Amino acid sequence: MNSREKLQVGVIGAGHLGALHAKMYSQIADVALAGIYDIDRARAESVAADLGTRACGSMKELLERVQAVSIATPTKTHFGVAREVLSSGIHLFIEKPITQSEDEAQQLIDLARRNRLKVQVGHIERFNPALLALKGYELRPMFIESHRLAQFNPRGTDVAVVLDLMIHDIDIIVSLVRSPVRQIDANGVAVVSETIDIANARLQFENGCVANVTASRISQKKMRKMRLFQKDAYISVDFSDGVAEVFRLVEEDGSSAKSAGMMLGQIDAGKRKRNIVYEQPEVAEINALKYELESFVRAIVSDTEPLVTAEEGQQALMIAHEIMKRIQQQKLVV
């Protein structure tokens, strides 16, 4: 495929994340990084020079050169920038959270549908190798516990920790449970910023599943872990270390799925004998951001639905806002 046949892609926002997007696009086959735009022209020129592409003087100039873009700008600018992108007939990858409000997200969804454009939301943990390693398992969690803890970093404090960190786990949990949320209880507090820095939420789903979700950006140590409990299985996912572990019960006679895992013991109570098996699924060595952007490109080229749709981004945002509403009702924000 020659350069004229490659998908022409640009990046809006040349900060830390935008620079990573540009770098990944420059490494994807069948993609041509056609330009970068940032309100800080010097920053855009620096990133563009490193990658051998063009720093555009305006967003209009960039949109005239591309077929698709990534938006990696502050959350408060997402809606305005995305609306201009979609109005120009350009496919869109937008970092999470999709927008500041559900109404803004709905306007983007409607605009994309009218213009027959793809929109993918940057919930990168969906592409974490540890989570992908569980593809071969039937996941039917009935209790979930997740912890996403980070050391304080001023970058990202323009939004509450619920929108900055917890929304990753909200998105994953909703995609796994596949049932409407019935009730939300939450509390949290602002400690070092003007927004919520630590939060805990309990999500109850209509199918009976319960998720206990904690996020903090004032922790001494980093942690990104999720534990899933379901009938006959316990699954642990470490998003930081890229490790998944599965403890499950397997029929002794092998009538259920065969397992190549390590047998830890046996349960012989009742009529059936079952083995307790430990498995550590093989984790592929992939760059989650690159894989995520490759999936966006495939959705455009093959005219298929993106792996994380705008509707899913909106749903995660709605739940995150409901959590923050519950926190405010608790009057724990100082």
Side-chain angles (χ1 to χ4, degrees), residues 74-312:
T75 301
K76 63 184 178 181
T77 69
H78 279 191
F79 176 66
V81 175
R83 182 173 54 184
E84 186 168 345
V85 169
L86 294 173
S87 297
S88 300
I90 307 299
H91 299 290
L92 172 64
F93 183 100
I94 185 167
E95 274 298 341
K96 62 79 192 167
I98 181 171
T99 50
Q100 286 189 299
S101 73
E102 298 97 288
D103 179 66
E104 289 176 342
Q106 188 61 52
Q107 290 185 55
L108 296 185
I109 290 168
D110 294 341
L111 182 55
R113 286 174 180 167
R114 286 198 301 271
N115 292 346
R116 302 179 65 84
L117 296 168
K118 308 296 181 185
V119 178
Q120 182 166 322
V121 184
H123 285 285
I124 192 170
E125 292 288 42
R126 290 268 206 111
F127 301 85
N128 189 291
L131 188 62
L132 296 178
L134 297 172
K135 288 283 188 181
Y137 292 87
E138 185 178 353
L139 301 180
R140 295 170 283 101
M142 292 306 295
F143 182 76
I144 301 173
E145 190 163 35
S146 72
H147 291 85
R148 187 168 295 264
L149 315 178
Q151 295 169 315
F152 182 72
N153 185 338
R155 185 172 62 86
T157 55
D158 60 318
V159 295
V161 72
V162 178
L163 292 172
D164 183 32
L165 297 180
M166 185 183 283
I167 197 168
H168 282 297
D169 296 313
I170 293 170
D171 172 68
I172 292 169
I173 290 167
V174 170
S175 73
L176 292 175
V177 178
R178 298 187 296 276
S179 176
V181 175
R182 181 170 60 85
Q183 183 176 330
I184 296 175
D185 297 297
N187 53 44
V189 65
V191 180
V192 294
S193 75
E194 297 301 314
T195 57
I196 301 164
D197 293 309
I198 182 168
N200 173 264
R202 180 181 173 88
L203 310 179
Q204 298 183 53
F205 295 86
E206 289 186 0
N207 70 351
C209 179
V210 173
N212 189 33
V213 192
T214 300
S216 170
R217 57 186 176 207
I218 51 170
S219 176
Q220 273 191 309
K221 295 182 179 179
K222 295 181 180 179
M223 179 186 292
R224 291 156 53 202
K225 291 185 177 180
M226 183 176 291
R227 295 182 292 168
L228 314 173
F229 300 84
Q230 62 187 49
K231 183 174 176 57
D232 296 340
Y234 157 62
I235 301 104
S236 173
V237 185
D238 189 321
F239 295 95
S240 293
D241 292 342
V243 175
E245 297 177 295
V246 179
F247 298 82
R248 64 191 184 108
L249 297 179
V250 177
E251 297 291 342
E252 186 184 39
D253 62 4
S255 59
S256 67
K258 295 283 186 180
S259 172
M262 179 188 304
M263 195 175 85
L264 300 180
Q266 189 177 80
I267 296 177
D268 56 6
K271 296 180 180 180
R272 297 180 299 162
K273 289 187 177 181
R274 293 177 293 173
N275 295 327
I276 304 171
V277 175
Y278 169 77
E279 299 165 328
Q280 192 173 111
E282 184 177 354
V283 176
E285 293 186 12
I286 63 172
N287 181 302
L289 178 57
K290 184 179 180 184
Y291 189 51
E292 180 182 38
L293 296 178
E294 285 174 334
S295 78
F296 171 55
V297 171
R298 282 196 301 272
I300 296 169
V301 173
S302 61
D303 191 22
T304 55
E305 189 173 77
L307 293 182
V308 184
T309 65
E311 289 83 356
E312 290 175 302

